[in-house]
Amino acid sequence: MTANTSPTIKFNRGGTAAEQAEKEANVSSGGRRGPDYLSLKEDGSSTVLRLLTDHDDWIWVDQHSFVPTKPGPKDAEKWPKAMTSVCRKDRAFAGHYNDCYICDAKLKNSFGKLASPRVRVWALAIEREIVRGDGSEALGGPAKQGVVVGIRDKIDEVDELGADGKPTGVKLQYPRILVINQPMKGFFSHFKALHGLYGTVVDRDFSITRSGTGTDTEYKIVPIDPVADPATGQNLIKPGTPIWEKYLQAVAEREISLDAIVADKASDEYYARFFDPTKSVDKDGTITTATGNVANFPTASASGAPADISSDLRSKIQMLGTPQADAA
């Protein structure tokens, strides 16, 4: 087996750096179903979240948004009109790519403007929900009818997979894990401010409400008091507690890697599938050109490549090539 000598990928991390990068950019100008994305589509819609990714571990990248997709394959039942993609010229991919079809072809977004990359931030969260008394003794009896009595995790049912990778028919229940992909301004900046107040944003739940539509959308983010043990007053849900370990176990068992999710949005396969009309992707994931030949994507030299990457991320990034390392 040949050793993997590809240059490494190191995503930019940290809310402070993401906010600064966004300001600078604005000035200058088959198996288990994966996790859902946070999506509050309607004015006034809301949810409750427990962030799993703290401030210093937020991933931020240059990202193209609302990019119209190319026509879908004939057998596609549904095909998105527009997609988000991570710019392949983001510095995290130095040494892997030297092209970005969206940049190079000067594609326009759904609003008719150049689809220039902008800083966007990524994090993981658990979706939760407010629990109100229904009159039952289990929820406080008649006196608590309609009153908020707690917060609980929303639950997803996920297929158990056998050794052959196929569903066994057994449904596994996990806390609902969401991927958050939002800008600093108007979203993560609120969490950054709260991090400055509390020193962390993973020790409590947050109520998030959308206000407005389109480019006038704003988010109201309100912190909720930590869930405490009535007897001791200790916070029951924070890193190191049994409930937190349950969350981490759910992430591990569902094989969810935020790094891999972000990297996939810049992969050869992703760009060939949704944007580049000169290439196509078959059911096995093989990328071919319009003439039917297997595509050879350009790769950059390893010079200046970032320094670290998890083995999990390596295994999930497809067709990055094996650029030659610089001579010592």
Side-chain angles (χ1 to χ4, degrees), residues 33-41 45-49 59 61 63-65 83-86 120-127 154 156 176-183 187-188 208 210 219 254 256-266 270 274:
R33 179 172 62 84
D36 291 326
Y37 282 69
L38 172 65
S39 179
L40 298 176
K41 296 182 178 180
S45 58
S46 64
T47 190
V48 176
L49 294 182
I59 291 176
V61 292
Q63 185 170 307
H64 302 282
S65 299
M83 293 286 284
T84 288
S85 69
V86 173
R120 292 294 182 269
V121 182
W122 295 73
L124 292 177
I126 299 293
E127 186 171 22
K154 288 190 175 182
D156 276 339
R176 180 173 297 170
I177 301 168
L178 294 182
V179 176
I180 306 175
N181 179 213
Q182 294 286 341
F187 192 89
F188 275 102
I208 301 177
R210 174 174 178 156
Y219 292 93
R254 293 191 62 186
I256 295 171
S257 164
L258 186 61
D259 291 46
I261 290 169
V262 178
D264 178 68
K265 298 290 186 182
Y270 188 83
F274 293 112

Side-chain angles (χ1 to χ4, degrees), residues 9-207:
I9 292 176
K10 183 178 181 181
F11 285 117
N12 308 299
R13 297 180 188 271
T16 300
E19 182 176 59
Q20 182 60 33
E22 184 177 64
K23 288 179 179 178
E24 292 174 356
N26 289 339
V27 170
S28 64
S29 288
R32 294 177 181 171
R33 179 172 62 84
D36 291 326
Y37 282 69
L38 172 65
S39 179
L40 298 176
K41 296 182 178 180
E42 304 295 332
D43 180 22
S45 58
S46 64
T47 190
V48 176
L49 294 182
R50 166 74 58 151
L51 288 180
L52 294 179
T53 312
D54 211 344
H55 172 279
D56 292 349
D57 290 320
W58 296 342
I59 291 176
W60 57 275
V61 292
D62 285 334
Q63 185 170 307
H64 302 282
S65 299
F66 303 106
V67 182
T69 59
K70 68 182 185 180
K74 295 180 180 179
D75 58 349
E77 295 183 4
K78 294 183 179 180
W79 193 254
K81 293 182 179 180
M83 293 286 284
T84 288
S85 69
V86 173
C87 182
R88 288 161 63 95
K89 294 184 180 181
D90 184 275
R91 60 185 178 181
F93 301 107
H96 287 291
Y97 306 127
N98 62 9
D99 73 313
C100 173
Y101 179 78
I102 295 172
C103 290
D104 298 341
K106 294 180 170 56
L107 295 187
K108 293 185 177 181
N109 60 28
S110 299
F111 305 104
K113 297 181 179 180
L114 193 66
S116 301
R118 296 287 185 267
V119 171
R120 292 294 182 269
V121 182
W122 295 73
L124 292 177
I126 299 293
E127 186 171 22
R128 304 202 355 120
E129 61 184 351
I130 299 292
V131 180
R132 296 182 183 274
D134 58 5
S136 68
E137 291 302 321
L139 295 179
K144 295 293 184 179
Q145 178 86 32
V147 177
V148 174
V149 296
I151 303 174
R152 65 189 173 198
D153 299 334
K154 288 190 175 182
I155 300 298
D156 276 339
E157 283 194 344
V158 180
D159 287 325
E160 179 188 59
L161 301 182
D164 58 359
K166 297 180 180 180
T168 63
V170 175
K171 296 290 186 179
L172 304 175
Q173 291 192 332
Y174 291 106
R176 180 173 297 170
I177 301 168
L178 294 182
V179 176
I180 306 175
N181 179 213
Q182 294 286 341
M184 279 297 297
K185 183 179 179 181
F187 192 89
F188 275 102
S189 59
H190 298 306
F191 285 107
K192 180 179 182 299
L194 292 166
H195 178 272
L197 178 64
Y198 300 122
T200 180
V201 287
V202 297
D203 68 338
R204 68 194 63 224
D205 298 309
F206 295 91
S207 171

